[in-house]
Amino acid sequence: MNTPLIDAQSVSKSFDTRQGSLCALQDFSLQMHEGEVVCIVGASGCGKSTFLNIVAGFTTPSSGQVLLDGREIIGIEPRCGMIFQNYALFPWLTVRGNVAFGPHMKGVSRRHRHEQAQRWIDLVGLKGFEDAYPGELSGGMQQRVALSRALANEPEVLLCDEPFAALDAMTRQIMQQELLKIVQDSQKTVLFITHSIDEALVLSDRLIVMSARPGRVKAVYENDLPRPRQLDIQITSHYLELKREVWGLVQEEVIGLNS
């Protein structure tokens, strides 16, 4: 098999708190290959977002390392694009201005960065809203802006930290379908954090179940549900069997954490 695009090797992370040292991750290892969609699920506080922040370069591991395309991540990583739960848009910039911000910072000419921004704005279904400000948009539309802004930077890896968690159920399903289409068209590599097993099964090629804190790899599932994925795969018996099995593992960790 080809060299992994992301190679996390025995990553551990501890934080200093007033109560002492808190170990969020312990010996966490994960390999991802180009074009793969990997979803991580687990109990709250198991270190999912901590690991994502290490891959993004927002924080450094206490031990171990993460390689991206063979190079160690040692600072904020421009080869990764991050989508947050809270949108993190610039309220003083229009939709076009937000999406074009990354190319602007890279020195791309005005004409080319606007062309680049328009491509992604059209792709996420926001044509006609180029001059609107974030405060004038619904939550779902703001998350579309955040998605197109991340993609406009042409990242090697798209990092998603529960990006659809704050959306209503219908908008969340629409955004899941949008992401599926974009991933299929662009062949992006995606690392996606979620609390929703349904969401993980719809989106992933591979699903990682984490143990309760300190986070470790508890189980790995190759998701063999057929592609292209449709949201109605939830009605199949194989889907329900996978969901029951994954939920059982997560519930096991939650019970252990609270006992």
Side-chain angles (χ1 to χ4, degrees):
M1 187 173 284
N2 295 333
T3 302
L5 182 61
I6 293 177
D7 188 4
Q9 304 172 353
S10 301
V11 172
S12 296
K13 179 64 180 180
S14 296
F15 297 94
D16 292 326
T17 72
R18 285 183 293 179
Q19 288 75 39
S21 180
L22 176 70
C23 185
L25 285 173
Q26 189 169 65
D27 294 326
F28 186 89
S29 297
L30 172 66
Q31 293 187 333
M32 285 182 62
H33 290 84
E34 189 172 359
E36 191 176 20
V37 180
V38 171
C39 289
I40 301 179
V41 299
S44 293
C46 71
K48 301 185 296 294
S49 293
T50 297
F51 177 66
L52 204 70
N53 286 332
I54 290 172
V55 178
F58 297 155
T59 187
T60 56
S62 302
S63 62
Q65 63 178 354
V66 180
L67 306 179
L68 177 55
D69 206 12
R71 304 203 316 260
E72 185 176 4
I73 296 172
I74 55 174
I76 293 177
E77 182 49 72
R79 294 172 292 171
C80 294
M82 188 82 155
I83 306 176
F84 302 92
Q85 183 176 333
N86 63 353
Y87 318 136
L89 301 175
F90 300 124
W92 60 88
L93 293 180
T94 63
V95 168
R96 182 184 288 108
N98 268 283
V99 178
F101 181 79
H104 175 61
M105 296 303 292
K106 291 179 179 178
V108 176
S109 71
R110 179 183 175 86
R111 181 171 68 85
H112 282 102
R113 68 176 181 259
H114 280 194
E115 288 175 354
Q116 202 170 339
Q118 192 65 52
R119 173 193 169 205
W120 291 110
I121 289 169
D122 292 348
L123 193 62
V124 300
L126 285 175
K127 187 174 182 179
F129 291 91
E130 293 86 349
D131 297 322
Y133 289 90
E136 299 171 325
L137 304 175
S138 68
M141 293 172 78
Q142 289 186 60
Q143 197 58 288
R144 288 169 188 254
V145 179
L147 177 58
S148 57
R149 182 179 64 179
L151 291 167
N153 285 315
E154 299 182 343
E156 292 183 43
V157 181
L158 193 60
L159 305 175
C160 302
D161 191 4
E162 300 189 66
F164 308 145
L167 303 177
D168 63 84
M170 184 175 292
T171 305
R172 183 171 186 157
Q173 286 196 345
I174 291 169
M175 288 303 300
Q176 288 168 356
Q177 201 68 63
E178 289 287 344
L179 183 61
L180 283 170
K181 182 179 183 300
I182 288 167
V183 168
Q184 183 179 332
D185 291 347
S186 65
Q187 294 298 298
K188 286 292 180 190
T189 304
V190 181
L191 180 57
F192 196 102
I193 303 298
T194 180
H195 277 101
S196 169
I197 297 170
D198 284 319
E199 186 167 67
L201 289 172
V202 165
L203 296 176
S204 69
D205 297 310
R206 192 155 46 103
L207 194 156
I208 311 297
V209 181
M210 288 183 67
S211 68
R213 188 175 61 244
R216 304 179 182 90
V217 175
K218 182 178 177 72
V220 179
Y221 288 88
E222 298 292 336
N223 189 351
D224 58 357
L225 294 168
R227 287 193 182 275
R229 296 274 169 78
Q230 301 294 330
L231 298 180
D232 60 5
I233 63 171
Q234 296 180 28
I235 64 173
T236 68
S237 59
H238 183 39
Y239 180 99
L240 294 172
E241 179 186 347
L242 280 172
K243 182 178 178 180
R244 276 194 298 269
E245 195 167 337
V246 173
W247 169 241
L249 293 175
V250 174
Q251 190 178 39
E252 194 175 86
E253 292 300 309
V254 172
I255 292 171
L257 191 63
N258 294 327
S259 62

